[in-house]
Amino acid sequence: MLLHYVLRRLAFFIGAMFIASVLIFVLIRAAGGNVAAVVLGRDASPEAINALATEYGLDRPWAVQYLDWITGMMGGDLGQSFRTGESVADLVVSRLPISVPLAGAGLVLAILIAIPAGTYAARNAGRSSGTLIALISQIGIAVPVFWAGVLLSLLFGVQLGWLPTGGWTPWNVSVLGAIQSLVLPVLALGLVMAASLSRYVRTAVLDVMNQDYVRTARATGMSQTRALLTVGLPNAALPIVTFLGLLIAELIGGTVIIETVFSLPGLSRMILSNVAAREVIVVQSTVMLIIVFVMFVNLVVDLLYGLLDPRIRVAG
Amino acid sequence: MYHRIQLRRRRKSTALAAAAMAIAVALPATPALAEVADSPRADDAAIVLAARQDPGTLDYVKSNLTALRLWVPGNVMEPLVYFNADGTVSPGVAESWEISDDRQTYTFTIRQANFSDGSPITAEDVIYSLEAMSQSPVVSNAAAHHAVEDIEKLDDRTVRVTLSRPSQNFWRGMGDVAGLIQPQAAADQIATKPIGSGPYRITEYVSNSHIAFEANPEYWGEQPEITSVTVRIITDGTAGLNAIEAGEIDASPVNTVDLWEQIVNRGLDEAYRLVTFPQAGEPTYAVVNSNVDHEIRKTIAMTLDRQAFNDAFGAPWGVENTCTFGLPHYPWYEPASEESCPYPYDMEQAMTRIAENGWGDIPLEYASLSDVPDLSLPADLMIPLMQAAGFTVERNAMDLARYSQLIFQGRPPQFDVTIMAGPGEPTQWACSDPQNGGWSTYCSAEYTEALAAADQALSQEEYVKHMKEASAILREDAVIIPIIAKAGVGLYHPDLVGFIEPRVGVAIEFAPMSWQ
């Protein structure tokens, strides 16, 4: 039964990958324009554009281009940038030391803030302290991440001069400099995500607090805190884990904005500028990698669900 | 003179001021202490500059992007000669040169020097570079070489270029990007680390992050005082101003009009030195599809209130109303006047003409470049002006890549009206074959002939005369309708001196700069 469930999820994963690859391939081309035109600028003749597009292999039928790209991907070759000839794999690897700590630390910060804050707000629902936490998280949800970034940059970078307003110091140049470059972006990302996550945690905890098993635990003489921690939170964990899976997709969207606001040369900003330049191979391969990652996380979450809750295995 | 930048870390300033006061009280004033002549950064050999755009590639043979032409020519790559702002010509890679009386033979003596990778500059490298440029897909690069008939090596240090006819474009091109010299052996790394003989070499280019330069130890001239230059790529305008205000950036050599209000509100225009220069400026002009009736084109020209554009796009930036396609430092340029504007702003006449001829029923598609503020903002003015006159205008917004495909490269271009700002070189519109009519080609045989006559001129006077004729043809036809000419505007730390007007296209040269 479990093997059948795992195989079904894997088949879904592979099918979704194929559909995603076709969508990415078609969408970037459907947007119009091509990298040859962007490189050559406005006064280039159509003949020159066509010649460069041919040199880049963009004049080949879409099916041929797709097969060329996807077979390369499956063989571990992510392709090359048209403009610089750099390999996409190298480009991605060079951006990971920025984007991974940014997204990772942002997520950890969000969790560290949201779970205690959400739990506290649930425990104190109806009291002024609980309402205050709920209010703050509501305000946090309403704050766009770019605005949070600009405000933090103005306060800690411009006014106080404690941290750089933006830019990136590579790890191999200065570890301290790299950390300083990431502090404000991580804060901006983490705080805004914590707001929505804490609301979710509050709702989930409130939900389990009214369940029979928590009441039963309390009836055995457990304190409310102990009942919540030992019985309530484990049961609230499943929906929170689901929400965290969704939050990873939101995280990637957030890093696009944060990397732009703080001029960080991360993966998201690389994708954005390459979309504008119609560097189709760079965009396709990088976005595909991200999709594989996000879907893999979701697959793992699905499989964990199946393992944790047999009812899902049967229904799935 | 010590200029205090008030906007830097106010807390630090307060602490420093307190410390300074304490020292002043404790020590008797001496002439040495009273006359602080140098900037605190006088011994600093580094500068950090801000760039708004990422070039994506440093291959100047294939790419014409301003984001690249601002930094690589003049600093890393050198042309054969330099054309100075005062009209004189200085040696570059060519130590000397001879021009035949008929201006069809140019003999360049190559400087005995090395490229930054240590390899010597050879006649073969010069020939390779010029031939590569003649094949460049960038029209303005290749155009300089159209008259070249033959390039030959006379000896290890002498190259002779023979032209089929006199060409002003060739000679001017040798002082521009079309005349940059690179080593053939390093040509394959041009996209990420071009090698040249200029005062700097590139140590690192990280897309979306920075371009790092260091002084070139092989440079044939005097070593620059500034030995380390970092160009930080900050695409978000507000983030760039934050960095300037926090003191992380020493200069932002090229700024866009959309930031002007923020610059003034933050007091950066007073705290920093504002430098305006025409070379990196650009004309803003309307473009009407040449298939639109000439009388309608003339009427569209009458709806363009140049002063409204001037007011909206920052008079402090050195904006001038004009009906001449070009920049104010061109010798044939003329500001707007009764003589130079055949269709001046006249809303009443425009309304009458539209009503009498029923042109209001003809839908006109306005192609709007949405992701470039310098171009989307003028559209916000132009469309209401045309609509107020009675035209039916539909705005079609698109990003640069799509705009490039439909408008720049479309044959025929897929638009009726648009607005553009960019290089002011009028030769970009040359075209004699109507079949090739498109964005980058104006396709008037008369105009193309006037440009050809200017190219073949044997004297400056003759050249200017023909360029004025070409300008008149362009403005009469109302396909390309100049509106304003904007100057380039840079913000510089008040202690950073030595800015010179660009000599190689729009390039900002670092070598003359220093902390005073």
Side-chain angles (χ1 to χ4, degrees):
Chain A
M1 194 71 163
L2 179 64
L3 180 68
H4 183 63
Y5 174 74
V6 169
L7 287 176
R8 220 168 36 209
R9 301 312 301 169
L10 276 175
F12 175 78
F13 178 76
I14 292 165
M17 289 283 81
F18 170 71
I19 293 169
S21 70
V22 173
L23 275 178
I24 298 163
F25 182 90
V26 171
L27 282 176
I28 182 88
R29 281 164 179 76
N34 74 52
V35 63
V38 174
V39 165
L40 295 179
R42 27 164 263 156
D43 62 344
S45 66
E47 295 74 31
I49 305 281
N50 291 338
L52 193 60
T54 303
E55 189 184 320
Y56 290 160
L58 293 169
D59 60 334
R60 297 173 301 160
W62 280 18
V64 175
Q65 291 184 51
Y66 175 80
L67 281 175
D68 196 22
W69 167 61
I70 206 72
T71 49
M73 281 281 288
M74 286 192 288
D77 177 11
L78 304 187
Q80 289 182 323
S81 158
F82 292 125
R83 293 179 295 173
T84 63
E86 293 170 285
S87 95
V88 178
D90 287 347
L91 285 173
V92 169
V93 167
S94 71
R95 308 298 169 124
L96 290 180
I98 302 156
S99 296
V100 169
L102 171 63
L107 188 62
V108 168
L109 180 68
I111 292 169
L112 287 178
I113 295 172
I115 290 186
T119 309
Y120 182 85
R123 247 199 92 186
N124 295 283
R127 293 186 200 151
S128 55
S129 56
T131 309
L132 182 67
I133 297 278
L135 187 70
I136 290 171
S137 68
Q138 192 63 52
I139 291 169
I141 291 167
V143 172
V145 70
F146 79 88
W147 198 57
V150 170
L151 283 183
L152 287 170
S153 171
L154 277 172
L155 178 62
F156 293 104
V158 177
Q159 293 297 326
L160 300 171
W162 292 351
L163 290 162
T165 60
W168 170 245
T169 305
W171 293 98
N172 57 357
V173 173
S174 163
V175 172
L176 181 64
I179 292 170
Q180 285 178 328
S181 306
L182 285 173
V183 170
L184 293 182
V186 165
L187 270 179
L189 198 59
L191 289 176
V192 170
M193 277 199 308
S196 53
L197 184 58
S198 69
R199 288 285 293 179
Y200 206 83
V201 171
R202 179 180 177 272
T203 308
V205 173
L206 271 178
D207 193 38
V208 295
M209 274 171 66
N210 296 322
Q211 296 296 323
D212 291 343
Y213 45 81
V214 174
R215 268 202 299 275
T216 307
R218 291 275 284 137
T220 63
M222 276 189 200
S223 68
Q224 192 185 19
T225 306
R226 196 168 162 213
L228 197 62
L229 290 177
T230 55
V231 183
L233 268 183
N235 280 289
L238 275 180
I240 293 171
V241 167
T242 309
F243 187 71
L244 273 174
L246 296 172
L247 209 60
I248 285 173
E250 191 186 311
L251 189 71
I252 289 161
T255 57
V256 173
I257 296 160
I258 285 298
E259 286 178 359
T260 302
V261 168
F262 289 99
S263 304
L264 291 173
L267 205 55
S268 304
R269 196 150 162 247
M270 184 184 98
I271 295 170
L272 201 65
S273 67
N274 280 290
V275 167
R278 299 296 192 270
E279 276 272 14
V280 289
I281 299 293
V282 178
V283 174
Q284 285 166 200
S285 296
T286 316
V287 172
M288 200 61 206
L289 282 181
I290 292 174
I291 290 176
V292 169
F293 171 72
V294 171
M295 290 190 71
F296 180 75
V297 168
N298 280 318
L299 176 71
V300 171
V301 169
D302 279 355
L303 293 178
L304 278 176
Y305 257 42
L307 282 174
L308 293 172
D309 191 341
R311 288 171 303 177
I312 294 172
R313 234 179 305 171
V314 173
Chain B
M1 182 74 189
Y2 176 84
H3 297 271
R4 182 179 297 127
I5 298 178
Q6 295 174 346
L7 23 105
R8 271 184 141 205
R9 302 177 175 120
R10 284 171 190 154
R11 280 198 169 181
K12 278 187 182 170
S13 303
T14 313
L16 283 174
M21 280 180 68
I23 292 168
V25 170
L27 295 174
T30 64
L33 275 176
E35 294 174 18
V36 182
D38 293 332
S39 156
R41 296 185 63 181
D43 297 329
D44 199 347
I47 53 173
V48 181
L49 309 177
R52 186 86 189 268
Q53 286 182 315
D54 181 19
T57 173
L58 303 183
D59 184 349
Y60 58 85
V61 178
K62 280 187 182 162
S63 175
N64 194 30
L65 297 174
T66 305
L68 146 67
R69 292 186 296 126
L70 278 170
W71 317 114
V72 177
N75 294 312
V76 178
M77 311 302 304
E78 284 193 301
L80 281 170
V81 295
Y82 286 101
F83 287 95
N84 304 308
D86 61 4
T88 57
V89 187
S90 308
V93 171
E95 189 176 67
S96 61
W97 56 90
E98 281 177 26
I99 305 172
S100 65
D101 291 342
D102 64 358
R103 300 189 74 86
Q104 288 185 235
T105 307
Y106 290 73
T107 307
F108 297 101
T109 302
I110 309 306
R111 184 180 296 284
Q112 203 156 14
N114 290 342
F115 288 110
S116 63
D117 63 357
S119 62
I121 306 172
T122 65
E124 283 81 3
D125 291 323
V126 172
I127 293 170
Y128 168 78
S129 301
L130 297 184
E131 285 180 347
M133 273 302 177
S134 70
Q135 302 298 316
S136 169
V138 176
V139 173
S140 53
N141 289 348
H145 296 268
H146 281 169
V148 175
E149 199 171 62
D150 185 44
I151 308 175
E152 61 180 318
K153 172 185 169 181
L154 297 185
D155 60 44
D156 286 347
R157 290 184 53 215
T158 314
V159 171
R160 184 167 65 199
V161 181
T162 308
L163 307 184
S164 58
R165 52 176 167 77
S167 174
Q168 293 275 345
N169 291 344
F170 170 76
W171 180 230
R172 286 163 203 276
M174 293 308 97
D176 208 329
V177 176
L180 299 181
I181 304 302
Q182 59 168 321
Q184 184 173 2
D188 59 343
Q189 63 186 70
I190 192 172
T192 51
K193 200 181 262 190
I195 300 291
S197 59
Y200 292 89
R201 62 184 180 188
I202 291 172
T203 55
E204 187 178 51
Y205 164 50
V206 179
S207 175
N208 291 316
S209 176
H210 65 275
I211 312 172
F213 303 81
E214 67 178 10
N216 169 16
E218 300 281 347
Y219 182 50
W220 53 268
E222 195 180 327
Q223 282 290 313
E225 284 190 35
I226 301 292
T227 57
S228 168
V229 180
T230 304
V231 174
R232 263 179 65 182
I233 298 159
I234 309 176
T235 51
D236 184 83
T238 303
L241 294 182
N242 285 350
I244 294 175
E245 199 170 346
E248 297 166 10
I249 300 290
D250 300 314
S252 175
V254 177
N255 297 281
T256 48
V257 169
D258 57 306
L259 293 180
W260 178 246
E261 197 176 334
Q262 277 201 67
I263 287 173
V264 172
N265 288 343
R266 293 173 180 226
L268 292 173
D269 57 327
E270 290 178 2
Y272 275 67
R273 196 156 41 86
L274 210 61
V275 175
T276 60
F277 51 104
Q279 290 83 354
E282 48 187 26
T284 297
Y285 51 97
V287 184
V288 187
N289 193 323
S290 54
N291 292 329
V292 172
D293 183 85
H294 186 213
E295 291 304 315
I296 296 180
R297 298 201 304 265
K298 282 158 61 173
T299 310
I300 291 172
M302 289 174 193
T303 67
L304 298 175
D305 180 0
R306 289 181 172 78
Q307 193 53 46
F309 285 89
N310 195 321
D311 293 341
F313 301 111
W317 289 61
V319 178
E320 205 167 71
N321 299 350
T322 186
C323 300
T324 302
F325 188 84
L327 292 169
H329 67 295
Y330 293 167
W332 66 87
Y333 172 85
E334 291 172 81
S337 67
E338 278 183 24
E339 294 75 39
S340 68
C341 289
Y343 318 116
Y345 172 59
D346 189 340
M347 193 54 107
E348 268 185 41
Q349 198 186 338
M351 290 168 83
T352 307
R353 287 167 64 94
I354 293 165
E356 282 178 355
N357 294 288
W359 292 332
D361 299 332
I362 303 171
L364 294 173
E365 183 182 334
Y366 187 106
S368 172
L369 189 48
S370 57
D371 52 357
V372 180
D374 272 8
L375 298 176
S376 61
L377 296 177
D380 296 340
L381 267 180
M382 184 168 171
I383 294 171
L385 281 169
M386 287 180 65
Q387 288 170 333
F391 282 120
T392 302
V393 188
E394 188 185 334
R395 186 173 186 160
N396 183 5
M398 57 192 94
D399 77 345
L400 180 60
R402 185 132 181 87
Y403 195 89
S404 296
Q405 186 184 40
L406 286 181
I407 310 303
F408 295 153
Q409 276 89 44
R411 293 291 185 275
Q414 308 294 303
F415 73 106
D416 294 313
V417 191
T418 188
I419 211 159
M420 183 45 61
E425 181 53 56
T427 52
Q428 65 186 289
W429 307 112
C431 162
S432 54
D433 179 4
Q435 295 296 317
N436 292 327
W439 167 267
S440 60
T441 48
Y442 164 56
C443 280
S444 149
E446 196 187 2
Y447 179 70
T448 304
E449 277 168 24
L451 288 180
D455 184 28
Q456 294 179 44
L458 291 172
S459 68
Q460 174 76 357
E461 292 72 28
E462 200 187 336
Y463 173 69
V464 170
K465 184 186 132 217
H466 289 301
M467 288 307 293
K468 282 194 170 182
E469 284 169 9
S471 293
I473 295 166
L474 196 70
R475 67 170 77 99
E476 287 284 343
D477 214 11
V479 170
I480 313 294
I481 310 169
I483 302 171
I484 49 175
K486 293 180 290 185
V489 179
L491 279 178
Y492 283 81
H493 188 293
D495 295 352
L496 183 63
V497 295
F499 168 83
I500 61 166
E501 287 194 6
R503 297 185 296 168
V504 190
V506 299
I508 305 294
E509 290 182 52
F510 313 141
M513 294 184 194
S514 64
W515 292 102
Q516 69 175 10

